[in-house]
Amino acid sequence: MTTATTGTPTTRGSVGTPHTRVEGRDKVTGAARYAGEIPFAGLAHGWLVLSTVARGRVRAIETAPVLAMPGVLTVLHHENAPRVDSDFVGMLGSRPDPSLALFQNDRVPHLGWPVALVVAETPEQAREAAEALVVHYEQEPHDVAFFAGHPDAYPVEGHTPGVAEKGDLTAELAASAVVVDAEYTTPEEHHNPMEPHAAAARWDGGRLEVVDSNQGTTWVAGELAKLFSLDPDSVRVRSEHIGGGFGSKGVRAHQVGAVMAATVLQRPVRVVMTRRQMFTLAGYRSPTTQRLRLGADADGRLRALEHSCLNLTSTVHEFVEPGAAPARVMYDADAHHTANRVVRLDVPTPTWMRAPGEAPGSFALEAALDELAEKCGIDPIELRVRNEPERGPLSGLPFSSRNLLACFREGARRFGWPDRDPRPGLRRDGRWLLGTGTAAASFPSGAGPSTAALTAEPDGTFTVRIAASDIGTGARTALTLIAADALDVAPERVRVRIGDSDFGPAMIAGGSMGTRSWAWAVQIAVGELRERLALGSSVPPEGITVRSDTSAAIGALARKERHSFGAQFAEVAVDVTTGEVRVRRMLGVFAAGRVVNPLTARSQFVGGMIWGISMALHEEAVRDGATGGHVGADLAGYHVATHADVPLIEADWIDDPDPDDPVGIKGVGEIGIVGAAAAIANAVWHATGVRHRNLPIRPDRVLSAADGATHA
């Protein structure tokens, strides 16, 4: 036996200093294996067949010719697939999307609905057979038309109330000296992570094992256990390395199909989505139409604030994109009305996408604030200063911390904002009109229950086991630094193992809550281990292991409004001849809790801001009303910002530790995109004198507004 030693926790250590990713070498050398490339003996390959009609029924499937093709093992469809149970409430507090209940009936609710799974010895054989499968449909009329004022829209309760209001809106608008009444739209957007969705399933000694790319192994294991009516202990999900997710990598059709096929064939089966299938099966950000009505006194102080957001959802599952949520936190008014509404259409179900609600909602809200500042003749930052609330505008709760104005002060100083001439359309650089804009950012800061196991090894090292997911954020490295500091040892003495549901329940990587939730569990585990070691326990060959659970500890978080905040600044150049908009520079200053690893945190902020460029100028999935499907459902037809579109981007932060978090973390994964599109749109107005309320700000939209009229 040996003795593991830890010293008294130090105030200075690894947390807060830059560290490269602990798995970085494995990733750049190819040693890190992703879900779609891990080998299994006897592996078969499944290929999903998707409907070619937007609404109707499957009348017949001609399986015989396909079953006779080389290598084909089976064709699963609604007449022969295993039965599943989708009548349950899952980990996230809602019933699962019925699209997970593969092949349970003949209904087709949207184009691209899974109607069959062809399984063969090789992926090439599976694909050839899937493309040869003939499916006959009974087609019905479909409706995919999304527009403002849709008569079938209704408010919906999501993770936030559908409607939240106080005060007499009509009276306060009538009493206002200045009123902004405008409609803003954002398009359908898609996640498109670099790594496609992939899962392999096999039965091993009576246990179902799934090797997957997901944002929460606990989540996926629990949903699969319920779907297939299995003992939760008999399901193991592993997801060690993930090549991006952004909200899309939850429980999807490919995992369910792989489990079905592995059960039928009693051999491992892998199912990988194609890029085109991901546009249908992996979720997306719903388009929104948003109406803002702001009423203010002549000095810019708000009397009335109305923010109504409409998004679409499928006919089989209700999903809300809560675009009105930012208004409930950012600004107060005597009359404050917000509503999130949905309309059911014959489309796939949307899902969470980086900063759900806040990303599209902040565009409309922060653009409307800029319009109000112009009408009042007040600097946009000063307008926000005058409307800074002391407590949550609707909740009435105190803020755990709210350093938004500090972000604006620092950002304005660094960006050169005080030298800005507020009049639009005056600055030129050759053929380019130049303008600058700003916007505020916020995102909730929460935590979910998590467990962690910590082992003191006999060689003096420590092993952390936690079902965390590192979807590219650097969470594995951050947890290493947090554990090292808590143990008062060098990071090299700590090994963090993640991505395995056998490690116990843990929060998903989502909502900017992952690292915070997992760090809390690690901190508690370290405290318990230190107590054991302080009692003089020697370390046996198998080590000393303690397990933590944060379920009781995080309850106090609900007593305050907890958000990260930030200030976005952008400078753009607009070519009025071609309509081209170029972002020249961006600066984001954030108050997002204690920063664990500046290297990866800055990457998160900058990555979000780059996505804001995409959102403002490029991204737009176009749906064909005749077919119900997408035009250009691939990375050639779906435009995102590339190297040539990304200028000088700087991201920094101010000291802002959460006083109620054991590490001080708030979360940095999503706030970088919030407000970025609004800052760019506001800069385009400053350059041209024309408001663009529809995203993206395409060249044709700039040209159509070249006469100086507001583009609506």
Side-chain angles (χ1 to χ4, degrees):
M1 296 185 179
T2 60
T3 301
T5 58
T6 64
T8 303
T10 57
T11 56
R12 297 181 64 188
S14 300
V15 171
T17 58
H19 282 72
T20 57
R21 297 171 188 263
V22 295
E23 81 285 12
R25 180 176 292 275
D26 286 347
K27 285 187 172 178
V28 299
T29 60
R33 294 291 185 93
Y34 291 82
E37 58 187 9
I38 296 175
F40 291 97
L43 181 66
H45 301 268
W47 203 277
L48 286 162
V49 178
L50 309 185
S51 69
T52 57
V53 302
R55 184 177 176 183
R57 292 183 179 275
V58 176
R59 194 157 46 84
I61 301 178
E62 297 183 15
T63 60
V66 168
L67 289 169
M69 293 178 69
V72 174
L73 301 170
T74 189
V75 178
L76 298 179
H77 50 85
H78 70 277
E79 293 180 347
N80 66 357
R83 300 293 95 183
V84 298
D85 177 13
S86 59
D87 186 19
F88 63 86
V89 175
M91 176 181 175
L92 301 185
S94 61
R95 296 189 180 278
D97 187 334
S99 62
L100 299 182
L102 286 187
F103 318 138
Q104 300 299 290
N105 56 60
D106 62 358
R107 288 295 308 169
V108 175
H110 60 74
L111 189 78
W113 179 263
V115 295
L117 178 72
V118 177
V119 187
E121 296 287 355
T122 69
E124 293 80 10
Q125 291 171 333
R127 179 172 190 166
E128 183 180 9
E131 292 175 349
L133 185 68
V134 176
V135 181
H136 300 277
Y137 300 94
E138 179 183 312
Q139 192 166 354
E140 300 171 4
H142 66 269
D143 179 11
V144 299
F146 177 71
F147 52 88
H150 198 292
D152 297 329
Y154 61 95
V156 62
E157 301 289 324
H159 291 287
T160 60
V163 176
E165 56 188 9
K166 69 177 183 181
D168 188 331
L169 187 69
T170 301
E172 294 297 337
L173 284 170
S176 296
V178 182
V179 174
V180 169
D181 185 346
E183 182 180 291
Y184 304 83
T185 70
T186 61
E188 181 178 322
E189 300 169 358
H190 286 258
H191 306 75
N192 282 309
M194 290 301 293
E195 179 203 16
H197 295 58
R202 67 172 179 173
W203 288 92
D204 183 15
R207 293 191 80 198
L208 174 64
E209 181 180 24
V210 178
V211 177
D212 186 30
S213 177
N214 63 57
Q215 295 180 227
T217 56
T218 300
W219 176 23
V220 175
E223 304 285 296
L224 291 177
K226 291 183 175 73
L227 276 168
F228 289 93
S229 302
L230 300 171
D231 183 334
D233 291 336
S234 69
V235 180
R236 181 188 188 190
V237 175
R238 293 190 290 127
S239 184
E240 186 176 2
H241 298 288
I242 305 115
F246 312 119
S248 71
K249 284 186 175 173
V251 190
R252 299 286 173 199
H254 66 295
Q255 298 133 323
V256 179
V259 173
M260 283 183 169
T263 302
V264 169
L265 296 174
Q266 287 299 298
R267 61 184 287 187
V269 177
R270 175 178 291 145
V271 180
V272 180
M273 289 190 197
T274 66
R275 184 67 61 181
R276 184 171 290 273
Q277 288 174 343
M278 287 165 59
F279 273 82
T280 298
L281 300 178
Y284 55 96
R285 196 194 303 280
S286 168
T288 70
T289 65
Q290 303 177 59
R291 185 184 184 189
L292 266 294
R293 288 199 291 174
L294 304 178
D297 294 334
D299 63 1
R301 288 180 172 84
L302 288 168
R303 299 181 64 116
L305 188 159
E306 181 186 32
H307 189 170
S308 298
C309 180
L310 175 66
N311 74 272
L312 58 74
T313 191
S314 69
T315 60
V316 298
H317 191 64
E318 196 174 72
F319 182 86
V320 61
E321 178 77 25
R328 298 173 181 176
V329 174
M330 294 304 295
Y331 310 108
D332 202 357
D334 295 324
H336 198 296
H337 289 210
T338 56
N340 294 304
R341 295 181 173 87
V342 301
V343 59
R344 292 181 179 271
L345 297 173
D346 300 313
V347 296
T349 306
T351 194
W352 302 277
M353 187 168 171
R354 197 174 195 174
E358 273 74 13
S362 67
F363 162 65
L365 178 64
E366 294 299 312
L369 259 290
D370 206 69
E371 295 198 40
L372 182 64
E374 177 199 354
K375 284 193 170 187
C376 292
I378 299 173
D379 178 82
I381 296 178
E382 176 59 27
L383 181 75
R384 289 166 173 82
V385 172
R386 296 181 186 184
N387 287 285
E388 179 71 355
E390 294 183 0
R391 304 174 74 87
L394 288 173
S395 70
L397 295 173
F399 290 98
S400 61
S401 63
R402 183 180 170 109
N403 288 312
L404 174 61
L405 298 187
C407 293
F408 270 116
R409 284 193 295 269
E410 176 64 13
R413 181 189 67 81
R414 291 177 53 171
F415 196 73
W417 189 265
D419 299 328
R420 175 185 191 258
D421 187 328
R423 295 172 297 173
L426 297 181
R427 290 177 60 206
R428 272 193 177 271
D429 180 8
R431 72 178 192 274
W432 301 92
L433 287 172
L434 306 182
T436 53
T438 189
S442 73
F443 195 79
S445 175
S450 297
T451 62
L454 174 61
T455 301
E457 306 289 359
D459 62 359
T461 63
F462 299 87
T463 303
V464 176
R465 293 175 177 84
I466 185 167
S469 295
D470 191 334
I471 57 174
T473 56
R476 183 189 274 104
T477 307
L479 293 176
T480 300
L481 304 182
I482 289 165
D485 273 14
L487 290 163
D488 197 20
V489 300
E492 291 74 22
R493 288 177 59 188
V494 177
R495 180 189 180 200
V496 175
R497 296 184 57 195
I498 66 172
D500 190 332
S501 63
D502 274 1
F503 294 160
M507 179 61 189
I508 66 170
S512 294
M513 293 189 285
T515 299
R516 180 178 186 175
S517 303
W518 308 322
W520 205 319
V522 170
Q523 285 283 110
I524 293 176
V526 169
E528 294 178 5
L529 181 62
R530 293 180 72 95
E531 289 182 8
R532 289 275 299 273
L533 295 176
L535 295 175
S537 300
S538 56
V539 181
E542 67 274 14
I544 295 177
T545 298
V546 298
R547 173 168 288 279
S548 66
D549 187 341
T550 67
S551 299
I554 65 174
L557 293 179
R559 299 171 191 163
K560 296 180 182 178
E561 283 275 359
R562 299 182 184 277
H563 284 72
S564 294
F565 294 95
Q568 303 269 17
F569 295 84
E571 179 179 5
V572 303
V574 182
D575 187 331
V576 293
T577 302
T578 65
E580 181 183 9
V581 178
R582 284 280 180 182
V583 175
R584 289 199 166 183
R585 61 187 176 111
M586 290 187 75
L587 169 67
V589 178
F590 303 96
R594 188 181 185 192
V595 170
V596 176
N597 185 359
L599 188 64
T600 52
R602 184 169 279 106
S603 292
Q604 289 298 293
F605 290 135
V606 169
M609 294 168 70
I610 292 171
W611 201 333
I613 296 175
S614 267
M615 182 178 177
L617 305 180
H618 304 287
E619 292 195 47
E620 183 179 25
V622 178
R623 198 171 287 276
D624 179 5
T627 66
H630 290 110
V631 177
D634 50 46
L635 289 185
Y638 184 81
H639 294 174
V640 299
T642 61
H643 287 296
D645 301 300
V646 178
L648 172 65
I649 296 185
E650 296 179 277
D652 211 338
W653 50 87
I654 63 174
D655 190 40
D656 180 50
D658 189 320
D660 299 314
D661 182 270
V663 184
I665 296 171
K666 283 187 174 180
V668 303
E670 288 160 286
I671 192 171
I673 190 177
V674 182
I680 293 169
N682 293 340
V684 171
W685 168 81
H686 187 232
T688 64
V690 177
R691 292 284 178 189
H692 287 267
R693 300 186 183 121
N694 299 330
L695 294 185
I697 305 173
R698 302 188 312 252
D700 63 301
R701 287 176 168 167
V702 174
L703 292 177
S704 69
D707 60 357
T710 297
H711 185 78

